[in-house]
Amino acid sequence: MPEPQPFAEALSSSPQLFARLLPTVYFDKYLSLDPPIRPSLRSPTQFRPCSINTSALPNTFGSSVVRMGECIAVCGITGYIIDSTEAGPSALYTNVDIVGRTGPPQSELMSMSEWMYETALATKLFDPVQLRIEDTAQTVVLQAQIQLLSQMYSGDVAWAALLAALAVTRIPKAIPADDEETLTAYFGTEPVVRFSKTETTKLELNYEKLPWCVNFGVMDDTGLVLADLEGRVEEVSVEGRITIVTSAGNSSIQNLSIFAGKSIISKEHIRQCISFAKHRAAELDSILNSQIYQSNGNGL
Amino acid sequence: MTVLDITRPSPASAITSFLYRVDGSASWKVGTAHIIASVSGPIEVNKRDELPDVATLEIVVRPDVGVTSTREQFLQDRIRRVVAPVIALELHPRTLIQIVVQIVQSGDNKILNTISLSASINATYMALLDAGVPLRSTVSATSIIYYTTATSDASKTNVLVDPTRAQLEQIEKDITSVHTIAYELKGGKIERLLLSESVGSFTEDQVFECYDTAANICEETNRTMREAITKGVQQKSRWREA
């Protein structure tokens, strides 16, 4: 019969195993230090480092790659021309997907897609009038395809990718079609047009300071507010969530989602999070603006 | 300068225990919205979905018109976030609690989800009560819409609570923000906020004002629920009088 393992040895397994088996205890061990710190070595109010690249994808009207901590999202904006009578309430359709995954989308992603569509519609990111094609009753409709490249993902990274891509989007001018492929494909009554490959106009957004999405967690036992949750340990240990979409500067907020779980979320928590969110939005604005200033290409 | 004008909400009504092949059912009507929820559980669960320490919660939302889309996934996710912390899932490990929400009339206009969400939360909660699933506290939800009307000297901010579809369509272009709020209550009094989804363009003060308005409405909704449950229990107990 094999020798039983000494008790002390069996308990001193790797930290990763500890994190997988008892994530809440693992998390509490870090937070009980003085000053409290998270397993990612961020302080409770510290946000993840963020990097943004724009206009990297060819054959798009606009594109971006956003990285926040371990989450990476790529957004490509394309468009198509439809008769105005067929246009729905929105001029922008968003789809979120995970790269490399086959099969039907996970319900969490579908929920995120719907959230992005509704938020984009309600925040009125741009005036759809600028997408109308002159002298015809046709309009351009934009489609944003957001790909999540990492195992970990969150709505705020996907939203940031969308905003950054829209900030550099240029709409190609519509010119009369002369190629047989387009002429034979269209069955409507409007003049047949196609996108120019050379002339573009910048998409004008309604916001000078963009409405970024920022997420927070609220611990249920201590009421501690944690900025920018990431990772399985944090997601399992922190049930209370506050997600805010807001731009820096003015007093208006575009989206506020609160799920209390078992936590007690007070007005003070909400005030604190809104204030942090506005600071973060200003920080993200400057990261994006310095990127746009440095880069010189456009999608086409 | 803004002047608030809160329109009184349309009364809500509920019936329970009308579906025979499930453990609990409830129908919730408010304004033009009509939602039916059914609950079965705790029942047998697939080995694949089984959880060792808590019950598995399955929520399915069916739309009134058309096929299931991302909108129903969104509603399902929000209903789960409200209802999961309130059910004592740890009392029935390795079982399934199945909730099906059928939207009979959404009460929303083309672009909003708020009425469906708040009415679905209320219907789901009543169905859970009817099914006898162990619950920690009471839940009620409401929808609040802010819209502006231009008047000669100022723009007036108006508030509608649980509006009808006709009202929504009338003010569609003037809507500034939409709020769906769910509270946890104990003993008929507000205990804490469970869910708050606010979309549009609004200020911190407006949101807090919304929370206070919603607190009053939710206490009233709670009383409506109690009356419906009382009636349901009296109905079920009528054999005692025979």
Side-chain angles (χ1 to χ4, degrees), chain A residues 42-121:
Chain A
R42 284 188 281 143
S43 80
T45 51
Q46 197 177 350
F47 288 92
R48 292 170 288 182
C50 173
S51 70
I52 304 180
N53 269 311
T54 51
S55 305
L57 301 183
N59 298 325
T60 55
F61 295 179
S63 65
S64 68
V65 180
V66 174
R67 180 179 185 153
M68 286 192 191
E70 300 294 317
C71 301
I72 307 176
V74 177
C75 176
I77 310 246
T78 50
Y80 47 93
I81 300 172
I82 57 168
D83 284 348
S84 301
T85 47
E86 290 171 12
S90 178
L92 172 70
Y93 290 92
T94 52
N95 189 34
V96 187
D97 217 343
I98 300 188
V99 163
R101 230 191 128 269
T102 53
Q106 297 170 338
S107 69
E108 200 181 325
L109 279 184
M110 289 206 269
S111 188
M112 199 195 293
S113 266
E114 178 70 21
W115 176 86
M116 291 192 69
Y117 168 74
E118 280 185 20
T119 310
L121 190 55

Side-chain angles (χ1 to χ4, degrees), chain A residues 137-156:
Chain A
Q138 296 176 77
T139 181
V140 177
V141 169
L142 296 181
Q143 177 151 26
Q145 179 68 24
I146 296 140
Q147 302 275 12
L148 301 167
L149 290 178
S150 45
Q151 279 303 316
M152 283 195 262
Y153 55 85
S154 51
D156 43 3

Side-chain angles (χ1 to χ4, degrees), chain B residues 196-217:
Chain B
S196 153
E197 281 271 357
S198 305
V199 185
S201 175
F202 50 92
T203 62
E204 197 177 287
D205 289 330
Q206 278 182 328
V207 166
F208 290 150
E209 189 178 82
C210 243
Y211 289 166
D212 294 333
T213 311
N216 287 331
I217 304 298

Side-chain angles (χ1 to χ4, degrees), chain A residues 89 107 110-111 114-115 118 121-122 251-263 267 270-271 274, chain B residues 70-71 73-74 77-78 81 85 111 113 192-202 204 208 211-212:
Chain A
S107 69
M110 289 206 269
S111 188
E114 178 70 21
W115 176 86
E118 280 185 20
L121 190 55
S251 60
S252 77
I253 307 163
Q254 278 67 44
N255 189 311
L256 175 62
S257 272
I258 301 178
F259 311 125
K262 297 203 171 69
S263 313
K267 286 185 179 169
I270 300 170
R271 271 198 200 99
I274 292 175
Chain B
T70 48
R71 183 172 173 271
Q73 288 297 332
F74 175 83
D77 178 74
R78 298 310 190 250
R81 290 192 198 255
I111 52 178
N113 282 333
R192 67 190 178 104
L193 185 67
L194 279 180
L195 171 119
S196 153
E197 281 271 357
S198 305
V199 185
S201 175
F202 50 92
E204 197 177 287
F208 290 150
Y211 289 166
D212 294 333

Side-chain angles (χ1 to χ4, degrees), chain A residues 28-284:
Chain A
D28 278 336
K29 292 267 180 226
Y30 274 89
L31 287 182
S32 58
L33 295 172
D34 183 29
I37 200 163
R38 293 144 81 173
S40 55
L41 303 181
R42 284 188 281 143
S43 80
T45 51
Q46 197 177 350
F47 288 92
R48 292 170 288 182
C50 173
S51 70
I52 304 180
N53 269 311
T54 51
S55 305
L57 301 183
N59 298 325
T60 55
F61 295 179
S63 65
S64 68
V65 180
V66 174
R67 180 179 185 153
M68 286 192 191
E70 300 294 317
C71 301
I72 307 176
V74 177
C75 176
I77 310 246
T78 50
Y80 47 93
I81 300 172
I82 57 168
D83 284 348
S84 301
T85 47
E86 290 171 12
S90 178
L92 172 70
Y93 290 92
T94 52
N95 189 34
V96 187
D97 217 343
I98 300 188
V99 163
R101 230 191 128 269
T102 53
Q106 297 170 338
S107 69
E108 200 181 325
L109 279 184
M110 289 206 269
S111 188
M112 199 195 293
S113 266
E114 178 70 21
W115 176 86
M116 291 192 69
Y117 168 74
E118 280 185 20
T119 310
L121 190 55
T123 52
K124 298 187 173 71
L125 290 170
F126 57 88
D127 191 350
V129 165
Q130 63 189 300
L131 296 180
R132 293 214 193 115
I133 300 174
E134 298 180 333
D135 304 326
T136 73
Q138 296 176 77
T139 181
V140 177
V141 169
L142 296 181
Q143 177 151 26
Q145 179 68 24
I146 296 140
Q147 302 275 12
L148 301 167
L149 290 178
S150 45
Q151 279 303 316
M152 283 195 262
Y153 55 85
S154 51
D156 43 3
V157 187
W159 180 256
L162 176 66
L163 285 185
L166 283 174
V168 299
T169 291
R170 301 189 66 90
I171 313 290
K173 194 162 156 27
I175 54 179
D178 46 10
D179 60 303
E180 201 172 313
E181 197 187 324
T182 317
L183 286 171
T184 50
Y186 181 64
F187 293 98
T189 51
E190 292 292 321
V192 188
V193 293
R194 65 167 178 87
F195 287 126
S196 155
K197 290 196 176 24
T198 48
E199 274 187 80
T200 60
T201 37
K202 186 177 184 325
L203 179 72
E204 292 303 327
L205 298 182
N206 287 335
Y207 295 83
E208 202 190 300
K209 299 187 188 185
L210 297 179
W212 301 91
C213 177
V214 189
N215 85 76
F216 300 88
V218 180
M219 302 279 300
D220 58 352
D221 43 4
T222 55
L224 179 66
V225 169
L226 296 161
D228 222 3
L229 294 186
E230 188 188 60
R232 187 180 163 268
V233 167
E234 289 190 349
E235 277 177 25
V236 165
S237 314
V238 185
E239 272 198 37
R241 299 290 166 84
I242 300 180
T243 307
I244 304 177
V245 174
T246 184
S247 51
N250 65 16
S251 60
S252 77
I253 307 163
Q254 278 67 44
N255 189 311
L256 175 62
S257 272
I258 301 178
F259 311 125
K262 297 203 171 69
S263 313
I264 298 177
I265 299 205
S266 66
K267 286 185 179 169
E268 206 34 62
H269 284 141
I270 300 170
R271 271 198 200 99
Q272 199 183 9
C273 290
I274 292 175
S275 159
F276 283 149
K278 289 200 178 280
H279 279 121
R280 175 65 163 172
E283 188 189 1
L284 293 171

